[in-house]
Coordinates of all heavy atoms in Angstrom, one line a residue:
G19 N -15.5 8.1 10.1 CA -15.1 7.0 11.0 C -15.5 5.7 10.5 O -14.7 4.7 10.7
D20 N -16.6 5.6 9.9 CA -17.1 4.3 9.4 C -16.2 3.7 8.3 O -15.9 2.5 8.2 CB -18.5 4.4 8.8 CG -19.6 4.6 9.9 OD1 -19.2 4.5 11.1 OD2 -20.7 4.8 9.5
E21 N -15.7 4.7 7.4 CA -14.7 4.3 6.4 C -13.4 3.8 7.0 O -12.7 2.9 6.4 CB -14.6 5.4 5.4 CG -15.7 5.5 4.4 CD -17.0 6.0 5.0 OE1 -17.0 6.8 6.0 OE2 -18.1 5.5 4.6
F22 N -13.0 4.5 8.1 CA -11.8 4.0 8.7 C -11.9 2.6 9.2 O -11.0 1.8 9.1 CB -11.5 4.9 10.0 CG -11.2 6.4 9.6 CD1 -11.2 7.3 10.6 CD2 -10.8 6.8 8.3 CE1 -10.9 8.7 10.3 CE2 -10.6 8.1 8.0 CZ -10.6 9.0 9.0
T23 N -13.1 2.3 9.8 CA -13.4 1.0 10.3 C -13.4 0.0 9.2 O -12.8 -1.1 9.3 CB -14.7 1.0 11.0 OG1 -14.7 1.9 12.1 CG2 -15.1 -0.4 11.6
A24 N -14.0 0.3 8.1 CA -14.1 -0.6 6.9 C -12.7 -0.9 6.4 O -12.4 -2.0 5.9 CB -15.0 0.0 5.9
A25 N -11.9 0.1 6.4 CA -10.5 0.0 5.9 C -9.7 -1.0 6.7 O -8.9 -1.8 6.2 CB -9.8 1.3 5.8
I26 N -9.9 -1.0 8.0 CA -9.3 -1.9 8.9 C -9.7 -3.3 8.6 O -9.0 -4.3 8.6 CB -9.5 -1.5 10.4 CG1 -8.7 -0.2 10.7 CG2 -9.0 -2.6 11.3 CD1 -9.0 0.4 12.0
I27 N -11.0 -3.5 8.4 CA -11.6 -4.8 8.1 C -11.0 -5.4 6.8 O -10.5 -6.5 6.7 CB -13.1 -4.7 7.9 CG1 -13.8 -4.4 9.3 CG2 -13.7 -6.1 7.4 CD1 -15.3 -4.2 9.2
E28 N -10.9 -4.5 5.8 CA -10.3 -4.9 4.5 C -8.8 -5.3 4.6 O -8.3 -6.2 4.0 CB -10.6 -3.8 3.5 CG -10.2 -4.2 2.0 CD -11.2 -5.2 1.5 OE1 -12.2 -5.5 2.1 OE2 -10.8 -5.8 0.4
Y29 N -8.1 -4.5 5.4 CA -6.7 -4.7 5.6 C -6.4 -6.1 6.2 O -5.6 -6.8 5.8 CB -6.1 -3.6 6.5 CG -4.6 -3.7 6.7 CD1 -3.7 -3.0 5.9 CD2 -4.1 -4.4 7.8 CE1 -2.3 -3.1 6.1 CE2 -2.7 -4.5 8.0 CZ -1.9 -3.8 7.2 OH -0.5 -3.9 7.4
V30 N -7.2 -6.4 7.3 CA -7.0 -7.6 8.0 C -7.4 -8.8 7.1 O -6.7 -9.8 7.1 CB -7.8 -7.7 9.3 CG1 -7.8 -9.0 9.9 CG2 -7.3 -6.6 10.2
K31 N -8.4 -8.6 6.3 CA -8.8 -9.7 5.3 C -7.7 -9.9 4.3 O -7.4 -11.1 4.0 CB -10.1 -9.2 4.7 CG -10.6 -10.2 3.6 CD -11.8 -9.6 2.9 CE -12.3 -10.5 1.7 NZ -13.4 -10.0 1.0
N32 N -7.2 -8.9 3.7 CA -6.2 -9.0 2.7 C -4.8 -9.6 3.2 O -4.2 -10.4 2.6 CB -5.9 -7.7 2.0 CG -7.1 -7.3 1.2 OD1 -8.0 -8.1 0.8 ND2 -7.3 -6.0 0.9
K33 N -4.4 -9.1 4.4 CA -3.1 -9.5 4.9 C -3.1 -10.9 5.6 O -2.2 -11.6 5.5 CB -2.6 -8.4 5.9 CG -1.2 -8.7 6.4 CD -0.6 -7.5 7.2 CE 0.8 -7.8 7.6 NZ 1.4 -6.6 8.3
Y34 N -4.2 -11.1 6.4 CA -4.3 -12.3 7.2 C -5.3 -13.4 6.8 O -5.5 -14.4 7.4 CB -4.5 -11.9 8.7 CG -3.4 -11.1 9.3 CD1 -3.6 -9.7 9.4 CD2 -2.2 -11.7 9.6 CE1 -2.6 -9.0 10.0 CE2 -1.2 -10.9 10.2 CZ -1.4 -9.6 10.4 OH -0.4 -8.8 10.9
D35 N -6.1 -13.1 5.7 CA -7.2 -13.9 5.3 C -8.2 -14.1 6.5 O -8.8 -15.2 6.6 CB -6.7 -15.3 4.9 CG -5.7 -15.2 3.7 OD1 -6.1 -14.6 2.7 OD2 -4.6 -15.7 3.8
L36 N -8.3 -13.1 7.3 CA -9.1 -13.1 8.5 C -10.3 -12.2 8.4 O -10.2 -11.0 8.1 CB -8.3 -12.8 9.7 CG -8.9 -13.2 11.1 CD1 -9.0 -14.7 11.3 CD2 -8.2 -12.5 12.2
L37 N -11.5 -12.7 8.6 CA -12.7 -11.9 8.6 C -13.0 -11.5 10.0 O -13.2 -12.3 10.9 CB -13.9 -12.7 8.0 CG -13.8 -13.2 6.6 CD1 -15.1 -13.9 6.2 CD2 -13.5 -12.0 5.6
I38 N -13.1 -10.2 10.2 CA -13.4 -9.6 11.5 C -14.7 -8.8 11.4 O -14.9 -8.2 10.3 CB -12.3 -8.8 12.2 CG1 -11.9 -7.6 11.4 CG2 -11.1 -9.7 12.4 CD1 -10.9 -6.7 12.0
G39 N -15.5 -8.7 12.4 CA -16.7 -7.9 12.4 C -16.5 -6.4 12.5 O -15.4 -6.0 12.9
E40 N -17.5 -5.7 12.2 CA -17.5 -4.2 12.3 C -17.2 -3.8 13.8 O -16.5 -2.8 14.0 CB -18.8 -3.6 11.8 CG -18.9 -2.1 11.8 CD -20.2 -1.6 11.3 OE1 -20.9 -2.3 10.6 OE2 -20.5 -0.4 11.6
H41 N -17.9 -4.4 14.7 CA -17.7 -4.1 16.1 C -16.2 -4.3 16.5 O -15.7 -3.4 17.2 CB -18.6 -4.9 17.0 CG -18.5 -4.6 18.5 ND1 -19.1 -3.5 19.0 CD2 -17.8 -5.3 19.5 CE1 -18.8 -3.5 20.3 NE2 -18.0 -4.6 20.6
T42 N -15.6 -5.4 16.1 CA -14.2 -5.7 16.4 C -13.3 -4.6 15.8 O -12.4 -4.1 16.5 CB -13.8 -7.1 15.9 OG1 -14.6 -8.0 16.6 CG2 -12.4 -7.4 16.2
A43 N -13.5 -4.3 14.6 CA -12.7 -3.3 13.9 C -12.8 -1.9 14.5 O -11.8 -1.2 14.6 CB -13.0 -3.3 12.4
A44 N -14.0 -1.6 14.9 CA -14.2 -0.3 15.5 C -13.5 -0.2 16.8 O -12.9 0.9 17.2 CB -15.7 0.0 15.7
K45 N -13.5 -1.3 17.6 CA -12.7 -1.3 18.8 C -11.2 -1.2 18.6 O -10.5 -0.5 19.4 CB -13.0 -2.7 19.6 CG -12.5 -2.7 21.0 CD -12.9 -4.0 21.7 CE -12.4 -4.0 23.1 NZ -12.7 -5.3 23.8
V46 N -10.7 -1.9 17.6 CA -9.3 -1.7 17.2 C -9.0 -0.3 16.9 O -8.0 0.3 17.3 CB -9.0 -2.6 16.0 CG1 -7.6 -2.3 15.4 CG2 -9.1 -4.1 16.3
K47 N -9.9 0.4 16.1 CA -9.7 1.8 15.7 C -9.6 2.7 17.0 O -8.7 3.6 17.1 CB -10.8 2.2 14.8 CG -10.7 3.7 14.4 CD -12.0 4.1 13.6 CE -13.2 4.0 14.4 NZ -14.4 4.4 13.6
E48 N -10.5 2.5 17.9 CA -10.6 3.3 19.1 C -9.4 3.1 20.0 O -8.9 4.0 20.7 CB -11.9 3.0 19.8 CG -13.2 3.5 19.1 CD -14.4 2.9 19.6 OE1 -14.4 2.2 20.7 OE2 -15.5 3.1 19.0
E49 N -9.0 1.8 20.1 CA -7.9 1.5 21.1 C -6.5 1.8 20.6 O -5.7 2.3 21.4 CB -8.0 0.1 21.6 CG -9.3 -0.2 22.3 CD -9.3 -1.7 22.9 OE1 -8.4 -2.4 22.6 OE2 -10.3 -2.0 23.6
I50 N -6.2 1.5 19.3 CA -4.9 1.6 18.9 C -4.8 2.4 17.5 O -3.7 2.5 17.0 CB -4.1 0.3 18.7 CG1 -4.8 -0.6 17.7 CG2 -4.1 -0.4 20.1 CD1 -4.0 -1.8 17.3
G51 N -5.9 2.7 16.9 CA -5.9 3.4 15.6 C -5.0 4.6 15.6 O -5.0 5.4 16.6
C52 N -4.4 4.9 14.5 CA -3.6 6.2 14.4 C -3.4 6.6 13.0 O -3.4 5.8 12.0 CB -2.2 6.0 15.1 SG -1.2 4.7 14.3
A53 N -3.2 7.9 12.8 CA -3.0 8.5 11.5 C -1.6 8.9 11.3 O -1.1 9.2 10.2 CB -3.9 9.7 11.3
F54 N -0.8 8.9 12.4 CA 0.6 9.2 12.4 C 1.3 8.2 13.3 O 0.8 7.8 14.3 CB 0.9 10.6 12.8 CG 2.2 11.2 12.5 CD1 2.5 11.8 11.3 CD2 3.3 11.1 13.4 CE1 3.7 12.3 11.0 CE2 4.5 11.5 13.1 CZ 4.8 12.1 11.9

């Protein structure tokens, strides 16, 4: 799960030039994250 969170942080950074924190990314993963 930590790597899933880190991947979301990296994705947002690369696509939007936006730095978000680990807590924020973990919340995104829990609320709307999906594998399919």
Side-chain angles (χ1 to χ4, degrees):
D20 288 354
E21 282 65 36
F22 296 164
T23 300
I26 292 173
I27 292 174
E28 190 67 15
Y29 181 91
V30 173
K31 176 185 175 183
N32 292 336
K33 184 172 183 178
Y34 296 104
D35 300 307
L36 194 70
L37 300 179
I38 61 173
E40 182 179 340
H41 179 77
T42 298
K45 188 175 180 181
V46 170
K47 178 185 66 178
E48 292 166 7
E49 293 185 359
I50 65 169
C52 61
F54 196 87

